[in-house]
Each structure stands twice: as structure tokens, then as C-alpha cells.
Amino acid sequence: MQQTMDQFQVGDQIRITKLELDGVMRRRLLDLGFVPGVIVTVFQKSPLGDPIAYQVFQTIIALRKEESSLIYGEKINEEVCIHE
Amino acid sequence: MNKRIALAGNPNTGKSTLFNLLTGLKQHTGNWPGKTVAHAEGELTTEKATYQIIDLPGTYSLYSNSEDEEVARNYIIFEKPALTLVVLDATSIERNLNLALQVMEMTSQVIVCINLIDEARRKGIEIDAKKMSEQLGVPVILLSAREKIGIIQLLKTIDNMMERKITTKPFQIAYSDEIEQKIKQLEPHIKKVFGDDLPTRWIALRLLDNDQSLFDELKSYLGQDKQTSIEKVIYSNKERSYGA
Amino acid sequence: MELNSSQKIAQLTDLYRQAATQSTTTLRDEIVGKIYQTSQELSEKSVNYDKRKTTWLDKNLDQILTSKTFGFPIMLLMLGIVIYLTIAGANYPGVAIANLFSVVEGWLTSLFEWMHAPDWLYGILIEGFYKGTSWVVTVMLPPMAIFFPMFALLENFGYLPRVAFNLDRFFKQSGAHGKQSLTMTMGFGCNAAAIMSSRIVESPRERMIAILTNNFVPCNGRWPTLILLAGLFMAAGFSGGMNTFISAGVVVGIVLFGIAMTLFVSWSLSKTLLRGVPSHYTLELPPYRKPKIWNTIIRATLDKSVFVLKRAVVVAAPASIITWILANINIGDTSILQHFVGFLDPFAQSLGLDGFILGAFILGFPANEIVLPILLMGYLATGSLVDVDSMNNIKDVFLAHGWTWLTALNMMLFSLLHYPCGTTMLNIWKETKSIKWTFAAFAIPTGIAIITTFIIAQVVRAFGLV
Ligand SMILES: Nc1nc2c(ncn2[C@@H]2O[C@H](COP(=O)(O)OP(=O)(O)OP(=O)(O)O)[C@@H](O)[C@H]2O)c(=O)[nH]1
Ligand SMILES: [Mg+2]
């Protein structure tokens, strides 16, 4: 099921489906590895809940809700996880 | 004038640490991305020659999304250093190769330096430099700028590259047929304008991506005096050689 | 046939237009996706991961250091520990250096007597130049030599981005950039350098906010003032370890007040002069790395010591000489310094300070390090016969000039909040290239410093607390 990135729980593995952003920020997120099809892990929420840090291509990147709520993804189920 | 060597790479991969080691200078280093904001130059003397080393700001890509990226890109494209060292973080090769691939589209004079090899080993990451070098078509050197591992090999490779004893054949990404088609179509026209002065395939790709900032830079490059947006903090520096 | 440059530009423009029509919206996605895919394929072949070796710490440290429960307490604790160790550790070398300087002063005095040097020469060179610079070194060097290595260790460990991660929400609500907390932590070292580091904030609006508020973080030139006054006046009733503890608590409080002020001013600016919404933002949290402990300590200590000594000679020396001259040249029957101080005094008193203190802040504009030495020289040059051989006597000098805890508190606050030093102002101008904003960087903190100290002085006096 498709959700925005800020709605997942810490530890969830997510396959990115689409980015609803344009312009520089879209390109910057792409450069960071937030590319449709890529799998990212929700790494940690900051003490006040926002921003949230994601692990993407072996790097941890924190995004504010403003951005993460515009990135869509779907949670990968357990079997895929084990397979990974 | 001494030949120039540029240090490029993702943020926080140890470029400034390597720069300090090579030049004997004291650029600030710190474990957070974006530590280096001003561009620095220093000198490196090897057994064969003295080179000018330039510490570029760290970037995730060279697609002109920010000032830093433009500075780094312009330096590599327009200032044409004799050699570019792409510094990668051994603990996140997948991410870091990205930038190396981009640089290899821009110039063939590249050495890939896989830094932080000490950290990688601690974390159980094994990197086959020989295999990677075969794949990439450029020299790949494992090193630790902090623990001073692999430096001698790096210096030798630098000398050999400069003396053209090593020839490179940088790996080129193959894009989809559609994109490749369009590149093919544009390339000859670009060659007419720039000759062999600038990398035509790369420019074709950037034009297809509608890179306005690069377009502007190219225009001013063609116009009279080239301008660079680099703020130069040039450190005059005593030479320093590496014996051991 | 070779084209001329305007033909080339025309051709290039054509090509750009032509390429633009060929471009598709998903082209960038395709390019970047392809590059990542290639990176992945390439590294699969030549990189091998041994998952067993990833340590527990690598995976779980952030769950503690940025956790809901412990994130803030740990941050506060770190700040407290750093300040506590700085105060506790600076004491002994401070005393030792002070003793050394006074021994040398004795020799120099004998030397001058033996040479029958004129009084004014002795005054300028020993009471001005030598004392001024040696005070700067005595007061500055020990805390710096302890604070900076600790800070460098935290920096190299990778803790600073976590501070930014933890605090981001506050900065967002203030309309500021999350990386402002990185420039803020740089300010603990030196505001002038922090102004340069604000380039990591990309949006011009938010960078300006970061620049205008940076001086609310006490820099290395102000730490010693805060530490000294907290120890002498705020923790006066306590001795030994407890004194250090309370002093540290007070300094932490001052720092937190500075941070609150940073957020408040950022918020006000983004509602008024620098209106706008927060720009897009990403923050990388790099892996923790074990610093090379001894290397870092030695390097940071040496670098900072050299820095402090250089400052002492370059800035403190001329300032001390000028102060001595002002204190010793009379117009009518009082010195220029007295006239100056007397002129400032009524206003300064309304802020809970006195004319000497305000004068020291004004003469100390080139560098915050020299504010306290100038103040002491001013006091000593005007008749009070206290001999400042050791740090302990400093308090007597202050008391002889009518200091109370309110004076100390307001001097600390004024030091925290007032205009940036000369070097910082210069860097602000270089970065903003705007007289208007450089002036704002001067006026905003100064206004806040005056208002804050005024309110506190009036309230405290109204309630008869001093
Ligand atoms: N363990 C280890 N740490 C290293 C090595 N090289 C650099 N570091 C550390 O990595 C951190 C980043 O190093 P810098 O040299 O500042 O990195 P940079 O690439 O210049 O970073 P930016 O200027 O932000 O782009 C510092 O804390 C260094 O001490 C290495 O080979 N091994
Ligand atoms: Mg750097």
C-alpha cells in the first residue's frame, strides 16, 4: 500500500514509488538516492518527531516532514526483507 | 606553472584530510558534511614533480543543484586540472561511485581514491581494488588519509598518470537506447562548437537535461574571458616532499 | 572552417533549444536512476560485506543519542560536562601562568629600575603592554586549551550533526534552516569563523538569519569572561568542587539563554525583515567515527594556543597600550579615560553596569578577549590600590568599585548579547556585501543587550534585591 514517507515506522523498509516534488529539491533528492524503485529504511525519528532520518544507499539522510510527505513509497513485506 | 590536481568527492569523505596530508597544510576537517566552505590550494612535491592541489567542496553530484556543485563542476570542466582525484568513502561505495561515474563522464584523467579503508575493514567491508580498477578503467587506490595507508602508491600513481605511463579508459554509463540516440544526434554539432576542448558526450547529456546553469557557463566560456565563480583562498606554501 | 565566438554562441543556443524540445520530464529520473543502478552493479562485483562485523554501536548509538527520552538530556549533559571540565581544569594552569607572569614582571621592573627608565616608558611597556597581554594569555589560554580539544573530539566523533537533528524542529518553527545549529556550534569556537561556515545554509534568507544571530553563542573570547564572573559572583558562597559545579550551572544557563535568544530573534526576523517559508532541507548524519584521541587533543590544543597567543600580541598589545595612555593623560585634572567613563556612567548605571564596563566593551570592539583586561586596567589605573597578583584579588578590585551580583550578571548578559567583535563584523560584511545588513548585525544584538540588561537592572532594583 502506498503511503508518504513520513507515515512509516522506524525500521520499516520502503520501496520508493514516486516523488511529488519539482525543481531543485526533486533533483537534489534524486542525487541523494531517493530514486523511484530504490529501497530505503526508516532509521530514526528525532526527539520531537520531525525530522526523520532515512537510510538510503548506506547513508543516513534526515528530511523534514515538508519533504518526506511528498515522497511516496510502499512497505516491503517480511519475506522480501529476509531475501535481502 | 605546476600541473594541477583537483580533489573531488562526496561530502565528508576525507578530502581535506587527504589534502592536508599531501600538502602539509592545515585545512579544517570535521566529521560533518559541509565542513569545507572555502576553496583551498596547496603544493605537493613527489619524486618526479611539484603539483598544485585544489581541495574542492564536497558534493553529492555535479548537476548544478547548488553553488558548491557548480563550483566543483566548473573547476573540472573549465579549469581542466591535469588530474582529478575522486575521493570515495569505503564504507559507502555504492553511493560514492555515483560521483566517480559522473567525473569519469567529464574527464579521463581520473584516479579513484577509496578512503577510510581503515573504517571499512573495521566494519567488515572488503574491496577488491584490482577488480574495480578493471571495471572502471581508471586506477583505483585503497587508502586511509588519517592512518596514512596507501599514500606512497597514490603518489606513484599520480606521477605515472602525469607522465602518461598509465592510460585510462573510463567506464561510460550506457543510458537507455532513447537517450543514447539523442546523445548521438547532438554530439557532432557540439563537437563543431567546442572541438576537443570540452567533453562532448557529457555536454550533450547536460543539454538534454536542460541544464540552464551549465548553458550560461558555456556561453561565457565561448565569449571572451572565462569567469569562474570560485573564490580562491590561495595558501602560499612551502614545498614538502615525501621520502618515506 | 573555424567559427568565431559569436557564431559558436549562436550555435550553442540553437543546440540548447533543440535539446530542450527533446528533453522529457522523466529524463533526469532516468539518468540518476541509471547512474545509481550502475554504481550498485559495479560495487556488487568488487565489494564484499561481512555483516557480522557491523558493531552494535554503529547500529544503535543513534537510538540513544537522538532518542525521544535521552536525546535532549544527553545534549544538555554534554554541554554541562564540557563546561564543567573547562572550569575545573582551567583553574590550576591559570594560577600557574599568573604566577609565572608576575615573577617575570618583577624581573622586568628591576631591569627598568636598573636602567633608570623614565616612568612613562615603564608605564606603557609594563603596566600597559606587558600586563594587558599577560592578562589576556592568563585568562584565555587555560580554558581554551581545555575547551577546544573536547569540542574537537565531539566534532570528529560526529556528534554535531546529531545536535542539528535534535534541534531541527525548533529551528523550523523559527523559520530558520536546520543547519543553522551547525553554524551555531561553530560559534562556540569563533563567531568570525562561524560566519564563514554559514555558507552551508544555501537559501540566502536563512543564511542571513544564521549570520545575524550567530553572536548569541559565546565565542572563545567570551567564555573566560563568563566563567570568571560566574565563579566569582554567582557561586560566591561555595568553595571547591561545589563552586565549580555552580559556576558551570550558571554558564550553561547563560548558553541556554543565548540559544533561546537565537531562536527568538530568528523567529522575529522571519516574521518581519526576512519573511519567508523555510527552504527545502536535507541533513546527512555521518557515521560515528572514533577520533584519533591524542592527535586531536594535541592538535587542537596547539592550534588554539598559537591562536590565542597571536591574538594577545596582535590585538591586546595595542589595545593595552592605548588604554594605558588614555588612563594616564590628563585633560584638566582627570584622565581622558575618566572623562570617557564619566560620560558613559549614567547610562551604564541604568543597565546595571558602570562606565568602566561599558567603556571596556567599547574599547574591546576589536576582540572580545581584551574586554576584561581593559576593564581591570581601567579600574587599577584610577587609584584603587589593589595589587592583582593572583586571580583571587580580581574580585577585590571589582568589589572596590561597587560590584554586586547584579553587575556580574548583567556584564555576563551584555557580553553574551552585544555586538559582534571587529573581525566578525568584517566577515559579515564580506559575506553579505551589504552595509545595511552589516549594520543590522551590529544594531540588533546591541539593542537586545541594552533592553535585556536594562529590564533586569530595573526589576532587581525595584524589588530591592541588591
Ligand atoms: N578513520 C578515518 N577517518 C578519516 C579518514 N580520513 C578522514 N577521516 C575523518 O573523516 C572526517 C571528515 O574528514 P574531512 O577531511 O573533513 O572530509 P571532507 O571530505 O573534506 O569533508 P567536506 O569538507 O565536508 O566535504 C574527519 O573527522 C576526519 O578525521 C580515514 O582515512 N580514516
Ligand atoms: Mg573538506
Side-chain angles (χ1 to χ4, degrees):
Chain A
M1 196 195 65
Q2 185 165 308
Q3 272 179 312
T4 57
M5 292 276 285
D6 55 324
Q7 289 169 319
F8 295 99
Q9 296 307 308
V10 171
D12 285 356
Q13 290 204 306
I14 306 158
R15 178 179 289 113
I16 297 176
T17 50
K18 68 173 181 206
L19 277 67
E20 293 259 288
L21 294 112
D22 277 320
V24 175
M25 193 56 195
R26 178 192 181 85
R27 296 197 302 250
R28 203 173 283 167
L29 285 170
L30 286 172
D31 286 344
L32 285 170
F34 291 95
V35 180
V38 163
I39 294 167
V40 305
T41 310
V42 183
F43 181 75
Q44 174 77 337
K45 290 192 177 176
S46 70
L48 299 173
D50 179 34
I52 301 174
Y54 302 91
Q55 183 160 17
V56 48
F57 284 106
Q58 304 150 317
T59 311
I60 296 163
I61 307 278
L63 300 178
R64 284 177 174 172
K65 273 216 169 71
E66 280 72 5
E67 286 77 39
S68 57
S69 63
L70 297 173
I71 304 175
Y72 289 80
E74 53 195 11
K75 190 171 163 178
I76 327 183
N77 48 28
E78 304 300 313
E79 293 119 85
V80 181
C81 269
I82 295 161
H83 193 70
E84 267 277 303
Chain B
M1 208 178 85
N2 293 329
K3 288 185 175 168
R4 282 167 298 124
I5 302 178
L7 288 176
N10 280 16
N12 208 32
T13 52
K15 293 176 297 302
S16 298
T17 311
L18 182 61
F19 175 86
N20 289 348
L21 182 65
L22 295 178
T23 61
L25 293 176
K26 285 190 190 157
Q27 273 288 295
H28 291 292
T29 63
N31 192 6
W32 51 282
K35 176 80 195 183
T36 303
V37 287
H39 139 136
E41 295 195 12
E43 271 177 14
L44 160 71
T45 300
T46 64
E47 283 171 7
K48 298 283 170 60
T50 297
Y51 307 109
Q52 196 74 18
I53 308 244
I54 297 95
D55 186 12
L56 296 174
T59 58
Y60 293 105
S61 88
L62 295 168
Y63 290 155
S64 50
N65 299 323
S66 71
E67 234 172 87
D68 282 351
E69 290 180 14
E70 285 174 16
V71 168
R73 176 203 67 194
N74 289 352
Y75 198 87
I76 296 171
I77 287 293
F78 299 115
E79 301 288 314
K80 300 192 197 100
L83 183 59
T84 303
L85 304 187
V86 186
V87 183
L88 313 192
D89 176 347
T91 63
S92 49
I93 292 287
E94 278 176 31
R95 153 171 311 283
N96 281 244
L97 263 182
N98 183 346
L99 193 87
L101 291 172
Q102 291 185 31
V103 174
M104 283 158 48
E105 285 183 328
M106 299 158 78
T107 165
S108 59
Q109 287 297 95
V110 174
I111 299 178
V112 169
C113 303
I114 302 189
N115 189 35
L116 289 141
I117 196 72
D118 56 313
E119 282 286 310
R121 289 192 180 134
R122 190 177 66 76
K123 291 185 177 170
I125 302 171
E126 294 274 347
I127 298 164
D128 186 340
K130 199 159 156 268
K131 191 167 223 172
M132 191 171 279
S133 172
E134 280 162 15
Q135 289 180 314
L136 294 179
V138 300
V140 173
I141 293 171
L142 302 182
L143 84 166
S144 165
R146 211 178 74 177
E147 308 297 331
K148 304 189 176 64
I149 300 169
I151 304 302
I152 297 170
Q153 204 204 338
L154 173 64
L155 296 179
K156 282 207 183 108
T157 315
I158 289 176
D159 281 335
N160 288 338
M161 286 281 278
M162 291 293 195
E163 292 179 343
R164 302 274 168 171
K165 282 187 191 158
I166 300 177
T167 42
T168 58
K169 195 174 177 306
F171 176 92
Q172 298 294 308
I173 296 172
Y175 296 98
S176 68
D177 291 347
E178 198 194 338
I179 297 179
E180 289 293 339
Q181 195 77 39
K182 289 177 182 167
I183 295 177
K184 282 234 172 59
Q185 207 185 324
L186 280 172
E187 260 196 277
H189 299 287
I190 295 172
K191 194 145 208 137
K192 246 188 240 160
V193 178
F194 294 103
D196 288 328
D197 218 16
L198 299 179
T200 46
R201 180 184 161 85
W202 180 79
I203 292 179
L205 201 58
R206 297 320 308 139
L207 291 185
L208 283 173
D209 195 20
N210 230 337
D211 190 334
Q212 163 99 43
S213 128
L214 178 75
F215 172 61
D216 292 339
E217 295 285 344
L218 286 173
K219 271 196 300 189
S220 66
Y221 177 79
L222 288 175
Q224 2 72 50
D225 47 341
K226 326 176 253 180
Q227 287 177 335
T228 48
S229 51
I230 298 177
E231 186 199 339
K232 290 196 175 165
V233 184
I234 300 171
Y235 293 81
S236 58
N237 172 37
K238 286 158 245 103
E239 63 178 26
R240 172 179 156 130
S241 52
Y242 278 85
Chain C
M1 191 194 70
E2 181 72 7
L3 303 168
N4 70 26
S5 73
S6 57
Q7 282 170 318
K8 282 182 179 175
I9 292 180
Q11 279 225 357
L12 177 69
T13 312
D14 266 359
L15 285 172
Y16 179 64
R17 296 229 180 87
Q18 190 192 328
T21 59
Q22 306 245 317
S23 179
T24 54
T25 43
T26 55
L27 189 106
R28 173 67 73 105
D29 294 31
E30 256 180 84
I31 294 177
V32 179
K34 190 73 198 177
I35 294 182
Y36 267 109
Q37 195 193 329
T38 313
S39 300
Q40 233 168 340
E41 284 164 11
L42 289 173
S43 50
E44 255 163 37
K45 291 188 192 132
S46 46
V47 186
N48 183 28
Y49 295 89
D50 182 350
K51 284 259 159 59
R52 287 163 306 168
K53 276 210 184 168
T54 38
T55 61
W56 182 86
L57 221 59
D58 290 328
K59 273 193 241 147
N60 295 298
L61 197 52
D62 269 316
Q63 284 169 23
I64 302 165
L65 291 185
T66 64
S67 82
K68 212 172 189 158
T69 331
F70 299 115
F72 287 114
I74 288 176
M75 227 160 47
L76 202 60
L77 197 70
M78 295 257 195
L79 181 67
I81 289 175
V82 168
I83 291 176
Y84 178 85
L85 291 179
T86 303
I87 297 177
N91 229 336
Y92 304 100
V95 171
I97 295 176
N99 288 339
L100 183 69
F101 274 122
S102 72
V103 170
V104 175
E105 189 185 329
W107 294 343
L108 288 174
T109 306
S110 319
L111 182 71
F112 273 73
E113 277 165 6
W114 175 77
M115 291 194 309
H116 298 289
D119 278 354
W120 63 266
L121 189 67
Y122 177 80
I124 286 187
L125 289 183
I126 302 300
E127 288 179 345
F129 171 79
Y130 180 82
K131 266 202 176 142
T133 17
S134 65
W135 272 334
V136 170
V137 176
T138 313
V139 179
M140 303 302 305
L141 197 53
M144 288 310 94
I146 294 171
F147 178 81
F148 278 98
M150 285 194 286
F151 188 78
L153 285 176
L154 281 181
E155 180 179 359
N156 280 317
F157 178 55
Y159 188 62
L160 300 190
R162 272 73 189 181
V163 172
F165 183 57
N166 286 343
L167 291 177
D168 182 72
R169 184 72 182 274
F170 295 119
F171 283 92
K172 185 167 102 181
Q173 275 165 354
S174 313
H177 200 281
K179 287 185 185 165
Q180 188 174 326
S181 39
L182 287 173
T183 68
M184 217 172 76
T185 49
M186 288 294 105
F188 282 125
C190 170
N191 296 127
I195 298 299
M196 305 281 289
S197 79
S198 67
R199 287 183 199 169
I200 58 166
V201 178
E202 271 154 25
S203 105
R205 184 187 77 88
E206 283 141 292
R207 185 186 305 171
M208 191 63 79
I209 294 180
I211 289 175
L212 294 181
T213 56
N214 191 269
N215 81 305
F216 296 130
V217 176
C219 64
N220 76 50
R222 292 182 278 166
W223 279 115
T225 306
L226 300 180
I227 289 174
L228 189 79
L229 295 182
L232 291 180
F233 286 90
M234 302 294 150
F238 305 90
S239 63
M242 202 56 196
N243 180 295
T244 312
F245 191 77
I246 305 273
S247 308
V250 172
V251 176
V252 169
I254 295 272
V255 170
L256 292 181
F257 183 70
I259 295 173
M261 195 53 92
T262 302
L263 291 168
F264 171 71
V265 174
S266 301
W267 176 82
S268 314
L269 284 170
S270 62
K271 289 273 172 287
T272 54
L273 291 177
L274 292 165
R275 204 165 311 158
V277 287
S279 67
H280 287 302
Y281 160 80
T282 60
L283 174 74
E284 183 185 336
L285 303 180
Y288 291 106
R289 288 174 190 155
K290 187 170 157 287
K292 290 189 94 174
I293 296 187
W294 285 112
N295 255 15
T296 309
I297 291 180
I298 291 167
R299 189 49 210 282
T301 311
L302 286 182
D303 281 4
K304 279 303 149 184
S305 307
V306 171
F307 178 81
V308 169
L309 292 174
K310 235 175 28 206
R311 281 280 266 221
V313 176
V314 176
V315 195
S320 321
I321 292 175
I322 290 171
T323 311
W324 187 89
I325 292 174
L326 291 181
N328 286 278
I329 292 182
N330 289 355
I331 296 180
D333 50 4
T334 46
S335 67
I336 301 179
L337 187 68
Q338 282 283 15
H339 282 294
F340 179 53
V341 163
F343 168 75
L344 294 176
D345 202 59
F347 177 61
Q349 290 292 347
S350 73
L351 306 181
L353 307 172
D354 69 23
F356 284 97
I357 303 174
L358 201 55
F361 276 117
I362 292 171
L363 290 174
F365 174 68
N368 284 303
E369 286 89 335
I370 58 179
V371 171
L372 205 60
I374 289 181
L375 177 61
L376 285 169
M377 286 175 70
Y379 279 155
L380 293 180
T382 48
S384 134
L385 290 172
V386 184
D387 182 25
V388 191
D389 270 349
S390 77
M391 308 280 269
N392 302 336
N393 296 1
I394 290 179
K395 188 171 183 184
D396 298 332
V397 181
F398 289 149
L399 289 178
H401 283 85
W403 275 49
T404 63
W405 64 266
L406 174 67
T407 327
L409 176 68
N410 275 4
M411 174 153 179
M412 288 163 81
L413 286 173
F414 200 86
S415 171
L416 176 78
L417 302 172
H418 79 299
Y419 47 80
C421 75
T423 321
T424 308
M425 294 294 297
L426 198 65
N427 278 1
I428 293 175
W429 187 79
K430 277 189 203 153
E431 289 294 312
T432 62
K433 288 270 179 278
S434 145
I435 293 187
K436 182 184 125 196
W437 287 114
T438 309
F439 178 73
F442 177 89
I444 294 170
T446 309
I448 289 174
I450 290 173
I451 293 169
T452 309
T453 47
F454 179 81
I455 293 175
I456 291 181
Q458 300 310 316
V459 169
V460 168
R461 283 178 189 145
F463 283 93
L465 297 175
V466 287

